Structure formats: C-alpha cells, structure tokens
Amino acid sequence: MNANLADLYGTDYTVRTDQPEQFFWYRTPDGERFGIRKTRLTTREKSLLNALFPTIRLEEELTPTQKKWASLLFHKDENVTLNVQSPIRYIHFHLKEAPSELLDFREAMTGLFSEETILLFENEKEGLLIQLNVADGESVHDLEQMAAALTADFFTGMALFVGQTIQQTEKSSLTRIYTSEKKWFSSGLTLFPSQMVFTHQDLIPAILFNEANKDTIHYLMKLIEPIQEDVELVKSIRVYLECNLNITLAAKQLYVHRNSLQYRVDKFIEKTGIDVKSFKGAVMVYLSLLAQELR
C-alpha cells in the first residue's frame, strides 16, 4: 500500500522531512509513519486517507499528567491542577528533522534519564523533558553523549538546553521560566549553530553580549587586542578561565607544565593590564573572548 502511495504522490509523499508542518501524517496498521503534503491532497483524498489510516496527533498520545503540563506550558492555562514537588528542571530539545519513529524516539529519550521524567513535544521537532526531583543531574559531557547516541540511532541532529533548577513551583513561575528558557535556547541555536548542549550558565552571558550596543562590543574586543595574534596565549587563557582559574587543572588540559602556564598568565596580565587572576578581571576577559567569538 505504501509503495503505491509513494508512486502516486511522488515527492509529495515522505517518511522524513525537516518541514513536518507542511504534511498530513498517518500511521499504517504495522505502525509505519508517513506523510502527504497538505497542498497535494483534495478534500476527497484526505477523507479517504483518514478512513484508511489513523492520523497522528501528538496530543492524542499523552497521559493525563502530560496533558496538564502541555496545557500549562504550551497554552498558558493556569487553571490546570498540578501537584509539583521541587526541585524540577526543564531540558529543552530541538531536532533538525522530525523522527520517523516517534514512539521509539520517545522511549529512547525518557530511557536516558534516571530521574522521573515527563517528555512533551510542542511540535514534531521541538519539546522538552521535565525532570522531577532533580538531584545533581547529568553533566554536559553526559548529555552530549546522549544527544550523539540519539543522533546516530534516529538519523536526526539534536541540540539540548539544560535549564535552571526550579525551586519555586507556582504555576505562573513554571510558565514564565519555560517561556524565557525557550527564547534563550532559540537565540543559542542562532549564535552557536554547531553546539550540541547548552546550559543557562554559558548561554545567558552570550545573549546579554549579543544584545549589547556597538560601543560596548567594540570596547570589549579592544581589551585583548595586544595579544589577539598570539593564538597559543589566547587558547591558554581561555582554558584557564574554563577551568575556573585553576592553573593546575588548566595545565593538565593544555598538556603543559604548571609553571609554563603560570608564565603565560603573567604575560597576558603584563600585555593587557587586566588581572585575569581576579574574579572581576576574569569576567572582563571572558566577555572580551566572547566578543571575538561572536563578532
């Protein structure tokens, strides 16, 4: 049957696309998912397909709890009754293509997390995981491995945004935080299109910088101008900052002796006049490096 439909509709028939909103989606008795482009179907053809195959609607496959969360976060309905115990956390996700096996993808996503997790799709390419009773949570490295595994298994690129730990669980707060984090995630995808996992700690400074005026950006970029041609020194300072000013740890990551890195840090301070060993100096240099990266 599917082969006949593929022959009939040609390029308007698909099982995978990066524009799922342009198709009506159906599932065969064997569970196979396929779509027909909306503009191709006549009213009669659509009625016939609806009679032969069940249409796929994400909201019809939700549990009562998932429906309540979807109503609150996606439709801003604060009249729903939710019993939420803090702390919780949102992990937002974005897929480059809608997965062809949606149910398998859902099972794989929830199976990767140890805590009780609620999975919601806002559409076929975007959604979030709501982690309940969050402990320390997964590291960025762990999440990158999870995203890479799902990308390999389902042949679709993925990006994740790990939100803040939420202690205030009033419905208005839950909605406000979701909306803000979704906006930040969207900005992160634009600013760093190749990045796989974002955290609010590293994304918010980038967004604030991106919204700064031209004079501020120019000033930040000028701060490290005396050493910007010294690639090795710039890399060393970046790693030093990423290691929380821990010179021993940074030296290990750079595969250099601790004294060699100490010399580079002192050289940076001498050439720029910024004490990168201090918290305020480190913040200034971090923003300056960010300006170079996003220019």
Side-chain angles (χ1 to χ4, degrees):
M1 174 67 78
N2 277 27
N4 292 335
L5 289 172
D7 290 339
L8 177 62
Y9 290 105
T11 57
D12 292 321
Y13 172 95
T14 187
V15 294
R16 184 192 303 274
T17 177
D18 59 358
Q19 297 177 316
E21 68 281 356
Q22 296 185 13
F23 293 77
F24 288 118
W25 294 95
Y26 304 92
R27 181 173 288 122
T28 68
D30 295 329
E32 296 180 4
R33 175 179 174 274
F34 68 93
I36 307 293
R37 193 178 301 276
K38 293 178 180 179
T39 54
R40 178 66 183 274
L41 291 177
T42 65
T43 302
R44 183 177 180 182
E45 288 174 321
K46 183 181 175 183
S47 298
L48 179 59
L49 287 169
N50 287 341
L52 292 173
F53 306 102
T55 56
I56 297 177
R57 298 181 61 191
L58 294 172
E59 63 270 20
E60 291 177 353
E61 300 176 357
L62 301 181
T63 66
T65 299
Q66 287 174 314
K67 288 181 179 179
K68 289 180 179 180
W69 276 102
S71 295
L72 175 66
L73 300 181
F74 300 158
H75 306 298
K76 309 297 187 292
D77 180 8
E78 295 188 9
N79 293 319
V80 298
T81 302
L82 277 173
N83 182 20
V84 185
Q85 299 295 322
S86 64
I88 70 168
R89 179 174 65 181
Y90 301 140
I91 297 182
H92 305 251
F93 63 86
H94 174 83
L95 308 174
K96 290 185 178 179
E97 293 184 2
S100 58
E101 299 297 336
L102 188 58
L103 294 178
D104 290 343
F105 184 83
R106 282 176 164 174
E107 291 178 3
M109 281 282 283
T110 54
L112 290 173
F113 294 87
S114 56
E115 295 91 354
E116 183 182 355
T117 304
I118 297 170
L119 172 63
L120 295 177
F121 274 83
E122 185 164 9
N123 55 57
E124 291 193 326
K125 294 197 294 183
E126 296 178 314
L128 76 157
L129 291 145
I130 305 169
Q131 290 186 291
L132 307 177
N133 302 313
V134 174
D136 291 335
E138 295 76 11
S139 68
V140 171
H141 177 67
D142 291 337
L143 290 169
E144 286 175 342
Q145 289 186 321
M146 293 176 185
L150 288 169
T151 296
D153 290 343
F154 292 93
F155 306 103
T156 179
M158 168 182 281
L160 301 172
F161 172 56
V162 184
Q164 63 180 290
T165 300
I166 303 170
Q167 301 289 352
Q168 301 295 325
T169 55
E170 296 85 357
K171 284 178 284 189
S172 58
S173 296
L174 294 173
T175 304
R176 175 181 53 80
I177 292 171
Y178 165 75
T179 302
S180 297
E181 290 184 347
K182 183 180 178 183
K183 178 182 177 181
W184 297 336
F185 186 26
S186 178
S187 297
L189 292 171
T190 301
L191 293 171
F192 307 106
S194 63
Q195 190 162 326
M196 189 173 290
V197 177
F198 301 87
T199 66
H200 63 284
Q201 293 100 322
D202 57 21
L203 190 53
I204 298 303
I207 293 172
L208 291 175
F209 167 80
N210 191 56
E211 295 174 352
N213 62 48
K214 291 182 179 179
D215 289 339
T216 301
I217 294 171
H218 180 73
Y219 177 81
L220 287 169
M221 292 178 65
K222 286 291 185 180
L223 288 176
I224 61 171
E225 191 175 56
I227 56 90
Q228 66 182 5
E229 300 300 325
D230 191 335
V231 177
E232 183 179 62
L233 181 56
V234 172
K235 178 183 177 182
S236 297
I237 295 302
R238 179 182 291 279
V239 173
Y240 174 64
L241 293 175
E242 291 173 348
C243 290
N244 300 315
L245 313 188
N246 185 323
I247 202 158
T248 301
L249 179 59
K252 288 181 179 179
Q253 291 199 14
L254 289 165
Y255 300 102
V256 300
H257 192 277
R258 186 181 188 279
N259 291 343
S260 297
L261 180 57
Q262 183 67 64
Y263 169 77
R264 294 177 189 175
V265 172
D266 292 340
K267 179 181 177 182
F268 176 87
I269 295 172
E270 179 185 348
K271 286 185 171 292
T272 64
I274 304 173
D275 184 6
V276 75
K277 297 178 183 179
S278 71
F279 171 76
K280 291 181 179 179
V283 170
M284 185 72 76
V285 173
Y286 171 74
L287 292 175
S288 184
L289 291 171
L290 194 59
Q292 297 287 340
E293 183 178 352
L294 295 178
R295 64 180 175 179

